Amino acid sequence: MLNFNRLNHITNADEWKQAYDEEIHKLDELYQEEERLYYKMYGEGIESGRIAEIQRIKHELMTDLAIIQTLSSWKDSLREDPIWHRRLHVFLLRMRQEALESHPELTKIQQRLQANLMDSTFMVDGKEYNLGSVHSNILENPDRAFRRKLFFEAQKIGEENEDLFRSLVIKRNELAVSLGYSDYYHFKCSLKEVDMDSYMGEMNALLERTKTVSTQWEMRIKEKFGWDTLHYYDQYFSTFHFHQIQNDSFHSNRMKEVLGDVVDSLGKSIDEMPISIESLDIPYGGFCLNINPNELKLVVSKRNSYSAFLSGIHELGHAIDGHYASYKYPELYRFYSSIAAEGVAELFQTIITDQTFLMKNFDLYEVDYVQMNEIQQLMDLKMVRINHYFSLVEYELYQRPDRSFQEIANDCYTFVFGYEGEAGHPANMMFYVENPAFFQDYNIALAMRDMIRHKFKIKSPYGNKDVFHELLTKFIEPNQLYSWKQRVEALCGESHTFAYLAERLSEE
């Protein structure tokens, strides 16, 4: 049983620290239990009411004003001790976030909206579909007319849930304003040490700099597929299917073997990592849950495709980050930086186009290597825009929740992609409900990835043991003992910048 309240009555510093450590370990056990339950839900389809109970326990802790006051007081008194000051700083930030996210009124709306989206189904051509199958078809199905049908059926689900989603946005804003923030989006980004207004300016400059190359690619896409314009439901498909790498080597039953080779190339062994690797029928690329450094769950979509291995290597980056990050201070491990984590995963994802890696693991032709390099450039160009589009839509939702959400999405689509047309309705997108204010993290991470590649003059980390050692000691192992910005500067010798990403993406 958690008993953080005992910290309110201890005055001796050594005793207080010992009691704090004991309670933090118990709290971490609760988070681990929650992660295991989420794995059963996402990986096995088994839902548990215990998740709601855990969320209630966390909310009671995170909103306890006496505990917040006690931790804040000790943080001030221990400011000369950088480790303890940082530990309490990170925990207090998480308390602020968790208190808002687990607010009973908020979770009630969120759970209702989640249930609506998960349970929504519709019929197309005599077959039943849900939102998960819409996403997978828009990603993979070559039948454009069919993608269009699914898209517009999903739009109806968004329209039906717009008022409920608006109430979620308004409640999140209200709670953020009560904490002294202008709105919920700025609240979330401040916790991540992201200046959203500065980010928007940097992204506008990057989009302008890469405009020529993006236009060239769009002309190639329209010519290849015979389209006059690129609709919303064409963006993902054209990105991932401009080149189709057809090869029997990309078989899902080889996933652990291939990921094992990646780890071997870094001077480690995957057999020594406490990781389970599974290929399951899921409607997205994959996921990784780092329950603790000795319990890692990696799941990849069960597809015999190049893209499945791309997802697998990306998720392996998350697993390596979760295994080698310091667990000495559980709160610094548990309350990790999503930006730092995505930076590691994006760096590892570059391995999928590393010719040395490809030659060793797959039986490919010279044309395959050329196509893979083109895929990488196209994917980076497109994903930067797609990530920015989704973050811009969400940003605008919290700025103007009174506006039509469909109009916001349409306006942002025109701004980012240059085409007028109906964009996806924000109220049918589960990621806005479950993982808000996240998409800019991917672009910041991509810029981080290219900073690392520039610094060490590498294409990927594959086989670069010395670079991996630097990454471990200066970036992964410290975890939240230092901010993601401090770790980037320690590793790369300069402050975070989009310059190298913009330079590479603008190459014709």
Coordinates of all heavy atoms in Angstrom, one line a residue, residues 310-347:
L310 N 11.0 -2.3 -40.8 CA 11.2 -0.9 -40.4 C 10.7 -0.7 -39.0 O 11.3 -0.1 -38.2 CB 10.6 0.0 -41.5 CG 10.7 1.5 -41.3 CD1 10.7 2.2 -42.7 CD2 9.6 2.1 -40.5
S311 N 9.4 -1.1 -38.8 CA 8.8 -0.9 -37.5 C 9.5 -1.7 -36.4 O 9.7 -1.2 -35.3 CB 7.3 -1.4 -37.6 OG 6.5 -0.6 -38.5
G312 N 9.9 -2.9 -36.7 CA 10.6 -3.7 -35.8 C 11.9 -3.1 -35.3 O 12.2 -3.1 -34.1
I313 N 12.7 -2.5 -36.2 CA 13.9 -1.9 -35.8 C 13.7 -0.6 -35.0 O 14.4 -0.3 -34.1 CB 14.8 -1.6 -37.0 CG1 15.2 -3.0 -37.6 CG2 16.0 -0.8 -36.7 CD1 16.0 -2.9 -39.0
H314 N 12.6 0.2 -35.4 CA 12.3 1.3 -34.6 C 11.9 1.0 -33.2 O 12.4 1.6 -32.2 CB 11.0 2.0 -35.3 CG 10.5 3.2 -34.6 ND1 10.9 4.5 -35.0 CD2 9.7 3.4 -33.5 CE1 10.3 5.4 -34.1 NE2 9.6 4.7 -33.2
E315 N 11.1 -0.1 -33.0 CA 10.7 -0.5 -31.7 C 11.9 -1.1 -30.9 O 11.9 -1.0 -29.7 CB 9.5 -1.5 -31.8 CG 8.3 -1.0 -32.4 CD 7.7 0.3 -31.8 OE1 8.0 0.5 -30.6 OE2 7.1 1.1 -32.5
L316 N 12.8 -1.7 -31.6 CA 14.0 -2.2 -31.0 C 14.8 -1.0 -30.3 O 15.4 -1.2 -29.2 CB 14.9 -2.9 -32.0 CG 16.3 -3.4 -31.4 CD1 16.1 -4.5 -30.4 CD2 17.2 -3.9 -32.5
G317 N 14.8 0.1 -31.0 CA 15.4 1.3 -30.4 C 14.8 1.7 -29.1 O 15.5 2.0 -28.1
H318 N 13.5 1.6 -29.0 CA 12.8 1.8 -27.7 C 13.2 0.8 -26.7 O 13.4 1.1 -25.5 CB 11.3 1.8 -27.9 CG 10.7 3.0 -28.6 ND1 10.9 4.3 -28.1 CD2 9.9 3.1 -29.7 CE1 10.3 5.1 -28.9 NE2 9.7 4.5 -29.9
A319 N 13.3 -0.5 -27.1 CA 13.6 -1.5 -26.1 C 15.1 -1.3 -25.6 O 15.3 -1.5 -24.4 CB 13.5 -2.9 -26.8
I320 N 16.0 -1.0 -26.5 CA 17.4 -0.7 -26.0 C 17.4 0.4 -25.1 O 18.1 0.4 -24.1 CB 18.3 -0.5 -27.3 CG1 18.5 -1.9 -28.0 CG2 19.6 0.2 -26.9 CD1 19.3 -1.8 -29.3
D321 N 16.7 1.5 -25.4 CA 16.5 2.6 -24.5 C 16.0 2.2 -23.2 O 16.5 2.6 -22.1 CB 15.6 3.7 -25.2 CG 15.6 5.0 -24.4 OD1 16.6 5.4 -23.9 OD2 14.5 5.6 -24.3
G322 N 15.0 1.3 -23.1 CA 14.4 0.9 -21.9 C 15.2 -0.1 -21.1 O 15.1 -0.1 -19.9
H323 N 16.1 -0.8 -21.8 CA 16.9 -1.8 -21.1 C 18.2 -1.2 -20.5 O 18.6 -1.5 -19.3 CB 17.3 -2.9 -22.1 CG 18.2 -3.9 -21.4 ND1 17.9 -4.7 -20.3 CD2 19.5 -4.4 -21.8 CE1 18.9 -5.5 -20.0 NE2 19.8 -5.3 -20.9
Y324 N 18.8 -0.2 -21.2 CA 20.1 0.3 -20.7 C 19.9 1.6 -19.9 O 20.9 2.1 -19.3 CB 21.0 0.5 -21.9 CG 21.5 -0.8 -22.5 CD1 21.0 -1.3 -23.7 CD2 22.4 -1.6 -21.9 CE1 21.4 -2.5 -24.3 CE2 22.9 -2.8 -22.4 CZ 22.3 -3.2 -23.6 OH 22.8 -4.4 -24.1
A325 N 18.7 2.2 -19.9 CA 18.6 3.4 -19.1 C 18.7 3.1 -17.7 O 18.3 2.0 -17.2 CB 17.2 4.0 -19.4
S326 N 19.3 4.0 -16.9 CA 19.5 3.7 -15.5 C 18.1 3.6 -14.7 O 17.2 4.3 -15.0 CB 20.2 4.9 -14.9 OG 20.3 4.8 -13.5
Y327 N 18.1 2.6 -13.9 CA 16.9 2.3 -13.1 C 17.2 2.6 -11.6 O 16.4 2.3 -10.7 CB 16.5 0.8 -13.2 CG 15.1 0.5 -12.8 CD1 14.0 1.2 -13.2 CD2 15.0 -0.7 -12.0 CE1 12.8 0.8 -12.8 CE2 13.7 -1.1 -11.6 CZ 12.6 -0.3 -12.0 OH 11.3 -0.7 -11.6
K328 N 18.3 3.3 -11.4 CA 18.7 3.6 -10.0 C 17.7 4.5 -9.3 O 17.4 4.3 -8.1 CB 20.1 4.3 -10.0 CG 20.6 4.6 -8.6 CD 22.0 5.2 -8.7 CE 22.6 5.5 -7.3 NZ 24.0 6.1 -7.4
Y329 N 17.1 5.4 -10.0 CA 16.1 6.3 -9.5 C 14.8 6.0 -10.3 O 14.7 6.5 -11.4 CB 16.5 7.7 -9.6 CG 17.9 8.0 -9.1 CD1 18.9 8.4 -9.9 CD2 18.2 7.8 -7.7 CE1 20.2 8.7 -9.4 CE2 19.4 8.1 -7.2 CZ 20.4 8.5 -8.1 OH 21.7 8.7 -7.6
P330 N 13.9 5.2 -9.8 CA 12.7 4.7 -10.6 C 11.9 5.8 -11.2 O 11.4 5.6 -12.3 CB 11.9 3.9 -9.6 CG 12.9 3.5 -8.5 CD 13.9 4.6 -8.4
E331 N 11.8 7.0 -10.5 CA 10.9 8.0 -11.1 C 11.6 8.6 -12.3 O 10.9 9.0 -13.3 CB 10.6 9.1 -10.1 CG 11.8 10.0 -9.6 CD 12.6 9.4 -8.5 OE1 13.0 8.2 -8.6 OE2 12.9 10.1 -7.5
L332 N 12.9 8.6 -12.4 CA 13.6 9.1 -13.6 C 13.5 8.2 -14.7 O 13.6 8.6 -15.9 CB 15.0 9.5 -13.3 CG 15.3 10.5 -12.2 CD1 16.8 10.8 -12.1 CD2 14.5 11.8 -12.5
Y333 N 13.4 6.9 -14.4 CA 13.1 5.9 -15.5 C 11.7 5.9 -16.0 O 11.4 5.9 -17.2 CB 13.5 4.5 -14.9 CG 13.3 3.3 -15.9 CD1 14.4 3.0 -16.7 CD2 12.1 2.7 -16.0 CE1 14.2 1.9 -17.6 CE2 11.9 1.6 -16.9 CZ 13.0 1.3 -17.7 OH 12.8 0.2 -18.6
R334 N 10.8 5.9 -15.0 CA 9.4 5.8 -15.4 C 8.9 7.1 -16.1 O 8.1 7.0 -17.0 CB 8.5 5.6 -14.1 CG 7.1 5.3 -14.3 CD 6.9 4.0 -15.0 NE 7.7 2.9 -14.4 CZ 8.0 1.8 -15.0 NH1 7.6 1.6 -16.3 NH2 8.7 0.8 -14.4
F335 N 9.3 8.2 -15.6 CA 8.8 9.5 -16.2 C 9.8 10.0 -17.2 O 10.3 11.1 -17.1 CB 8.5 10.5 -15.1 CG 7.6 10.0 -14.0 CD1 7.9 10.3 -12.7 CD2 6.6 9.1 -14.3 CE1 7.1 9.8 -11.6 CE2 5.8 8.6 -13.3 CZ 6.0 8.9 -11.9
Y336 N 10.0 9.2 -18.2 CA 11.0 9.4 -19.2 C 10.6 10.5 -20.2 O 9.4 10.9 -20.3 CB 11.4 8.2 -20.0 CG 10.2 7.6 -20.8 CD1 10.0 8.0 -22.1 CD2 9.3 6.7 -20.2 CE1 8.9 7.5 -22.9 CE2 8.3 6.2 -21.0 CZ 8.1 6.6 -22.3 OH 7.0 6.1 -23.0
S337 N 11.5 11.1 -21.0 CA 11.2 12.1 -22.0 C 10.8 11.3 -23.3 O 11.6 10.6 -23.8 CB 12.4 12.9 -22.3 OG 12.3 13.6 -23.5
S338 N 9.6 11.6 -23.7 CA 9.1 10.9 -25.0 C 10.0 11.4 -26.2 O 10.2 10.7 -27.1 CB 7.6 11.2 -25.2 OG 7.4 12.6 -25.3
I339 N 10.4 12.6 -26.1 CA 11.3 13.2 -27.2 C 12.6 12.4 -27.3 O 13.0 12.0 -28.3 CB 11.5 14.7 -27.0 CG1 10.2 15.4 -27.2 CG2 12.5 15.2 -28.0 CD1 10.2 16.9 -26.8
A340 N 13.2 12.3 -26.1 CA 14.5 11.5 -26.1 C 14.3 10.1 -26.6 O 15.1 9.6 -27.3 CB 15.1 11.6 -24.7
A341 N 13.2 9.5 -26.1 CA 12.9 8.1 -26.5 C 12.7 7.9 -28.0 O 13.2 7.0 -28.6 CB 11.7 7.6 -25.7
E342 N 12.0 8.9 -28.6 CA 11.8 8.8 -30.0 C 13.0 9.1 -30.8 O 13.3 8.6 -31.9 CB 10.6 9.8 -30.4 CG 9.3 9.4 -30.0 CD 8.8 8.0 -30.5 OE1 9.3 7.6 -31.5 OE2 8.1 7.3 -29.7
G343 N 13.9 10.0 -30.2 CA 15.2 10.2 -30.9 C 16.0 9.0 -31.0 O 16.6 8.7 -32.1
V344 N 16.1 8.2 -30.0 CA 16.8 6.9 -30.1 C 16.2 6.0 -31.1 O 16.8 5.3 -31.9 CB 16.8 6.2 -28.7 CG1 17.5 4.8 -28.8 CG2 17.6 7.1 -27.7
A345 N 14.8 5.8 -31.0 CA 14.1 5.0 -32.0 C 14.3 5.4 -33.4 O 14.5 4.5 -34.3 CB 12.6 4.9 -31.6
E346 N 14.3 6.7 -33.7 CA 14.4 7.2 -35.1 C 15.9 6.9 -35.5 O 16.1 6.6 -36.7 CB 14.1 8.7 -35.1 CG 12.6 9.0 -35.0 CD 11.8 8.5 -36.1 OE1 12.3 8.1 -37.2 OE2 10.5 8.5 -36.0
L347 N 16.8 7.1 -34.6 CA 18.2 6.8 -35.0 C 18.4 5.3 -35.4 O 19.0 5.0 -36.4 CB 19.2 7.1 -33.8 CG 20.6 6.8 -34.1 CD1 21.2 7.7 -35.2 CD2 21.5 7.0 -32.8

